[in-house]
């Protein structure tokens, strides 16, 4: 434990080393960093966040590991830049990094050349361009998302308890809507239910009985990528616990107090809500879309070949060190279940 | 422990009871609530916060107790309203409460009649009307103040570490200024120093050595209300630890990146800073100032008499229950030291 909290001094890797830029501090970037021999490269990590977020626990609580904790335990020094990579130039082999946080210095933008680039920036929340979602919904991706949900949830409850609030408005404020029947949405709806029956019922006995949870999913059932048994178990458990599931229901629009949904028959309904949690999956980030557009088509086709050649080259390096390619064990994937 | 987490059901105190409104959920309101027999009054607690904040720990960490935790353990039910009391009408004996939080219902304002009113709203941060303080400084009063300081402190450090930042700008970003040499300012400067030497030095070895802390005080020494020995000990300890103390120094103005100070000789200097923490004490809240203005002068003079009569009446009630006024023990104040 002492060594964990008191890492050794780190030498600089030396000016002759190639520059390896890693974009991101999430799962991909962090696992690469952990196994990377940093003394062989001039490593620069670029991310708007200075911590690794253990995302599977986000629906229940939030845990972050400072990225410096990982980099300071590497053999050679790693440079960390808190900033957002806004542009990748594959021709000049540079990235543009911007400091978009609250405190800014005189220098807020930097162009950084690289020899190798690892893009591990993850994804953005998918809103399908539905109007009002980005403005009014809460997501479950970052630490501040979880804090925002907690703040709004308690605020809905206190506002419902405000003197003279009308019954209609109390029902609206206490209607918690989760959109997206994947593992994140299902887990969040279940966590919310437990919070209401186990905690809220104790401390807000007048309020807890009035809270309603609705899960909205566009497909015919929740957890579409999971087994039939799990789907049936989830749907029956939710029914028992009075969590309302609306399947085959598409969200058409969102405002501050209502979502408009369309059911299987094409009929639209306006549903009042207090808290809206949006968990419909991911889409690629702008910087990645820009990179894809900047790459010539020919290059995109060559990506597969390129990846193969990288692995071959790596294997060759290993071979030179006395390890045969044939010694590499085949990779078997076995699924131990999902954490979310 | 089970009972603490599972309080009994609470009966309503009954319609015949007098209404006692308590403004605030701080030290005064909470200690009153704890000893109050809630079955004798129709108690309504009004506060913008739904928790009691243990303020002495604010410079080091933040702890909040939900106010419902206290009220739910009372014998009879207590109504809690999350909202800000914006006006007290001493003539009609009503208060106006507004819901100024993010989530609002159709009803955002309520007028609540009272028979008795306890004003325990605490104080506001004293800025002496110095321009720019409210906009740019961080305070140490609420949970969000502590979070804001933490966020800005880390942001200053990451921005100082941004690629290509100039040396002048790095020095500015890493200059932490604390204004106010009372116990809060002194404790915060010391906590900051410990954080930099114990934590930052490990995880940001290139940055930690460049951080500078300055404590600004208008009077001739820090901790003016404490003993000479403590003042000397504090000033010499700060000197040893390279925390710069500027006494007899008045702040004349603040902008986003500088404070302007005037020394004992009347000379003004512009000091660049990254983080500014303002701890110069308290002033009364607007709602209290409005109440004082609404009370006729005669009534103010009668306050002393009134308080005495309240205590006498209370004593008389006790007497009727068989306790003699003369049995009341005289109150002795002994000072066991300050926590801050």
């Amino acid at each position: 434990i002492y060594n964990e909290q008191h890492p050794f001094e780190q030498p600089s890797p030396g000016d002759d080393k190639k520059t390896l830029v890693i974009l991101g501090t999430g799962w991909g970037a962090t696992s690469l960093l952990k196994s990377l021999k940093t003394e062989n490269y001039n490593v620069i990590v670029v991310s708007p966040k200075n911590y690794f977020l253990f995302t599977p626990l986000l629906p229940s609580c939030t845990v972050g590991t400072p990225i410096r904790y990982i980099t300071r335990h590497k053999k050679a020094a790693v440079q960390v830049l808190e900033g957002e990579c806004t542009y990748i130039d594959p021709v000049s082999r540079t990235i543009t990094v911007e400091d978009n946080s609250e405190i800014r210095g005189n220098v807020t933008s930097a162009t950084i050349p690289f020899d190798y680039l690892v893009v591990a920036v993850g994804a953005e929340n998918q809103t399908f361009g539905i109007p009002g979602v980005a403005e009014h919904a809460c997501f479950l991706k970052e630490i501040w998302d979880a804090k925002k949900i907690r703040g709004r949830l308690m605020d809905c409850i206190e506002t419902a308890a405000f003197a003279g609030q009308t019954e209609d408005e109390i029902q609206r404020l206490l209607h918690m809507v989760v959109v997206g029947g994947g593992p994140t949405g299902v887990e969040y709806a279940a966590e919310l239910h437990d919070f209401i029956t186990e905690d809220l019922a104790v401390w807000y006995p007048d309020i807890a009985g009035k809270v309603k949870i609705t899960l909205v999913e566009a497909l015919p059932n929740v957890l579409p990528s999971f087994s039939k048994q799990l789907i049936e178990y989830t749907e029956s458990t939710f029914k028992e616990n009075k969590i309302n599931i609306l399947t085959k229901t598409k969200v058409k629009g969102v405002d501050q107090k209502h979502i408009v949904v369309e059911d299987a028959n094409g009929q639209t309904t306006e549903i009042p809500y207090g808290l809206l949690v949006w968990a419909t999956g991911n889409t690629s980030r702008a910087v990645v879309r820009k990179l894809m557009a900047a790459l010539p088509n020919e290059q995109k086709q060559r990506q597969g070949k390129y990846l193969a050649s990288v692995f071959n080259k790596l294997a060759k390096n290993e071979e030179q060190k006395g390890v045969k390619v044939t010694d590499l064990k085949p990779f078997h994937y076995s699924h131990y279940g999902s954490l979310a």
Side-chain angles (χ1 to χ4, degrees), chain A residues 185-202:
Chain A
V186 166
E187 187 184 353
Y188 184 71
E191 287 275 356
L192 193 56
H193 172 267
D194 291 352
F195 172 71
I196 288 155
T197 52
E198 286 165 24
D199 296 294
L200 212 63
V202 174

mmCIF file of all heavy atoms in Angstrom, chain A residues 185-202:
data_model
loop_
_atom_site.group_PDB
_atom_site.id
_atom_site.type_symbol
_atom_site.label_atom_id
_atom_site.label_comp_id
_atom_site.label_asym_id
_atom_site.label_seq_id
_atom_site.Cartn_x
_atom_site.Cartn_y
_atom_site.Cartn_z
ATOM 1 N N GLY A 185 -30.939 0.939 -19.045
ATOM 2 C CA GLY A 185 -32.271 1.419 -18.687
ATOM 3 C C GLY A 185 -32.953 0.492 -17.697
ATOM 4 O O GLY A 185 -33.559 0.940 -16.720
ATOM 5 N N VAL A 186 -32.843 -0.823 -17.933
ATOM 6 C CA VAL A 186 -33.473 -1.804 -17.039
ATOM 7 C C VAL A 186 -32.849 -1.713 -15.651
ATOM 8 O O VAL A 186 -33.547 -1.671 -14.639
ATOM 9 C CB VAL A 186 -33.335 -3.231 -17.620
ATOM 10 C CG1 VAL A 186 -33.668 -4.281 -16.563
ATOM 11 C CG2 VAL A 186 -34.257 -3.391 -18.828
ATOM 12 N N GLU A 187 -31.505 -1.636 -15.593
ATOM 13 C CA GLU A 187 -30.864 -1.565 -14.284
ATOM 14 C C GLU A 187 -31.246 -0.275 -13.569
ATOM 15 O O GLU A 187 -31.524 -0.278 -12.373
ATOM 16 C CB GLU A 187 -29.341 -1.651 -14.401
ATOM 17 C CG GLU A 187 -28.718 -1.737 -13.013
ATOM 18 C CD GLU A 187 -27.200 -1.730 -13.008
ATOM 19 O OE1 GLU A 187 -26.603 -1.796 -14.088
ATOM 20 O OE2 GLU A 187 -26.639 -1.644 -11.911
ATOM 21 N N TYR A 188 -31.279 0.849 -14.315
ATOM 22 C CA TYR A 188 -31.601 2.096 -13.637
ATOM 23 C C TYR A 188 -33.022 2.080 -13.086
ATOM 24 O O TYR A 188 -33.263 2.510 -11.953
ATOM 25 C CB TYR A 188 -31.378 3.321 -14.534
ATOM 26 C CG TYR A 188 -31.640 4.548 -13.712
ATOM 27 C CD1 TYR A 188 -30.748 4.910 -12.705
ATOM 28 C CD2 TYR A 188 -32.821 5.266 -13.839
ATOM 29 C CE1 TYR A 188 -31.011 5.966 -11.869
ATOM 30 C CE2 TYR A 188 -33.088 6.329 -12.998
ATOM 31 C CZ TYR A 188 -32.181 6.677 -12.022
ATOM 32 O OH TYR A 188 -32.454 7.713 -11.177
ATOM 33 N N ALA A 189 -33.977 1.565 -13.881
ATOM 34 C CA ALA A 189 -35.368 1.499 -13.410
ATOM 35 C C ALA A 189 -35.460 0.655 -12.139
ATOM 36 O O ALA A 189 -36.178 1.000 -11.194
ATOM 37 C CB ALA A 189 -36.264 0.922 -14.510
ATOM 38 N N ALA A 190 -34.685 -0.444 -12.100
ATOM 39 C CA ALA A 190 -34.716 -1.321 -10.932
ATOM 40 C C ALA A 190 -34.081 -0.637 -9.713
ATOM 41 O O ALA A 190 -34.615 -0.701 -8.602
ATOM 42 C CB ALA A 190 -33.986 -2.627 -11.248
ATOM 43 N N GLU A 191 -32.949 0.065 -9.932
ATOM 44 C CA GLU A 191 -32.290 0.794 -8.836
ATOM 45 C C GLU A 191 -33.224 1.856 -8.262
ATOM 46 O O GLU A 191 -33.318 2.049 -7.055
ATOM 47 C CB GLU A 191 -31.022 1.500 -9.343
ATOM 48 C CG GLU A 191 -29.862 0.589 -9.644
ATOM 49 C CD GLU A 191 -29.016 0.270 -8.406
ATOM 50 O OE1 GLU A 191 -29.301 0.834 -7.329
ATOM 51 O OE2 GLU A 191 -28.099 -0.551 -8.530
ATOM 52 N N LEU A 192 -33.909 2.557 -9.168
ATOM 53 C CA LEU A 192 -34.828 3.615 -8.769
ATOM 54 C C LEU A 192 -35.956 3.027 -7.919
ATOM 55 O O LEU A 192 -36.320 3.576 -6.879
ATOM 56 C CB LEU A 192 -35.386 4.266 -10.041
ATOM 57 C CG LEU A 192 -36.130 5.579 -9.918
ATOM 58 C CD1 LEU A 192 -35.263 6.625 -9.237
ATOM 59 C CD2 LEU A 192 -36.535 6.076 -11.306
ATOM 60 N N HIS A 193 -36.482 1.887 -8.368
ATOM 61 C CA HIS A 193 -37.544 1.210 -7.626
ATOM 62 C C HIS A 193 -37.079 0.848 -6.212
ATOM 63 O O HIS A 193 -37.789 1.078 -5.228
ATOM 64 C CB HIS A 193 -37.979 -0.053 -8.378
ATOM 65 C CG HIS A 193 -38.925 -0.900 -7.595
ATOM 66 N ND1 HIS A 193 -38.489 -1.942 -6.802
ATOM 67 C CD2 HIS A 193 -40.266 -0.830 -7.438
ATOM 68 C CE1 HIS A 193 -39.532 -2.479 -6.205
ATOM 69 N NE2 HIS A 193 -40.627 -1.829 -6.576
ATOM 70 N N ASP A 194 -35.855 0.311 -6.103
ATOM 71 C CA ASP A 194 -35.335 -0.072 -4.787
ATOM 72 C C ASP A 194 -35.161 1.155 -3.897
ATOM 73 O O ASP A 194 -35.459 1.124 -2.704
ATOM 74 C CB ASP A 194 -33.988 -0.795 -4.932
ATOM 75 C CG ASP A 194 -34.164 -2.165 -5.570
ATOM 76 O OD1 ASP A 194 -35.324 -2.588 -5.740
ATOM 77 O OD2 ASP A 194 -33.147 -2.796 -5.898
ATOM 78 N N PHE A 195 -34.665 2.248 -4.483
ATOM 79 C CA PHE A 195 -34.486 3.482 -3.714
ATOM 80 C C PHE A 195 -35.828 3.964 -3.161
ATOM 81 O O PHE A 195 -35.927 4.377 -1.999
ATOM 82 C CB PHE A 195 -33.852 4.564 -4.599
ATOM 83 C CG PHE A 195 -33.805 5.921 -3.965
ATOM 84 C CD1 PHE A 195 -32.930 6.184 -2.916
ATOM 85 C CD2 PHE A 195 -34.639 6.937 -4.408
ATOM 86 C CE1 PHE A 195 -32.890 7.436 -2.317
ATOM 87 C CE2 PHE A 195 -34.600 8.190 -3.817
ATOM 88 C CZ PHE A 195 -33.729 8.434 -2.768
ATOM 89 N N ILE A 196 -36.868 3.867 -3.990
ATOM 90 C CA ILE A 196 -38.177 4.371 -3.568
ATOM 91 C C ILE A 196 -38.795 3.485 -2.493
ATOM 92 O O ILE A 196 -39.308 3.980 -1.492
ATOM 93 C CB ILE A 196 -39.113 4.508 -4.792
ATOM 94 C CG1 ILE A 196 -38.630 5.690 -5.633
ATOM 95 C CG2 ILE A 196 -40.562 4.706 -4.377
ATOM 96 C CD1 ILE A 196 -39.011 5.602 -7.072
ATOM 97 N N THR A 197 -38.710 2.166 -2.675
ATOM 98 C CA THR A 197 -39.363 1.287 -1.697
ATOM 99 C C THR A 197 -38.536 1.133 -0.425
ATOM 100 O O THR A 197 -39.090 0.939 0.650
ATOM 101 C CB THR A 197 -39.628 -0.112 -2.295
ATOM 102 O OG1 THR A 197 -38.402 -0.603 -2.845
ATOM 103 C CG2 THR A 197 -40.673 -0.052 -3.384
ATOM 104 N N GLU A 198 -37.197 1.213 -0.540
ATOM 105 C CA GLU A 198 -36.372 0.975 0.647
ATOM 106 C C GLU A 198 -36.026 2.246 1.410
ATOM 107 O O GLU A 198 -35.969 2.244 2.631
ATOM 108 C CB GLU A 198 -35.083 0.233 0.257
ATOM 109 C CG GLU A 198 -35.357 -1.232 -0.073
ATOM 110 C CD GLU A 198 -34.197 -1.891 -0.798
ATOM 111 O OE1 GLU A 198 -33.056 -1.418 -0.657
ATOM 112 O OE2 GLU A 198 -34.448 -2.871 -1.523
ATOM 113 N N ASP A 199 -35.738 3.340 0.693
ATOM 114 C CA ASP A 199 -35.298 4.556 1.379
ATOM 115 C C ASP A 199 -36.387 5.617 1.450
ATOM 116 O O ASP A 199 -36.719 6.112 2.513
ATOM 117 C CB ASP A 199 -34.060 5.130 0.676
ATOM 118 C CG ASP A 199 -32.886 4.173 0.757
ATOM 119 O OD1 ASP A 199 -32.402 3.953 1.870
ATOM 120 O OD2 ASP A 199 -32.491 3.629 -0.279
ATOM 121 N N LEU A 200 -36.951 5.935 0.279
ATOM 122 C CA LEU A 200 -37.922 7.023 0.240
ATOM 123 C C LEU A 200 -39.125 6.728 1.127
ATOM 124 O O LEU A 200 -39.647 7.619 1.801
ATOM 125 C CB LEU A 200 -38.365 7.244 -1.213
ATOM 126 C CG LEU A 200 -38.714 8.676 -1.558
ATOM 127 C CD1 LEU A 200 -37.493 9.560 -1.414
ATOM 128 C CD2 LEU A 200 -39.246 8.757 -2.971
ATOM 129 N N ALA A 201 -39.558 5.460 1.142
ATOM 130 C CA ALA A 201 -40.730 5.081 1.940
ATOM 131 C C ALA A 201 -40.506 5.374 3.421
ATOM 132 O O ALA A 201 -41.444 5.668 4.155
ATOM 133 C CB ALA A 201 -41.045 3.601 1.734
ATOM 134 N N VAL A 202 -39.248 5.318 3.863
ATOM 135 C CA VAL A 202 -38.934 5.584 5.269
ATOM 136 C C VAL A 202 -38.936 7.082 5.557
ATOM 137 O O VAL A 202 -39.539 7.537 6.522
ATOM 138 C CB VAL A 202 -37.559 4.976 5.635
ATOM 139 C CG1 VAL A 202 -37.163 5.365 7.053
ATOM 140 C CG2 VAL A 202 -37.592 3.466 5.467
#
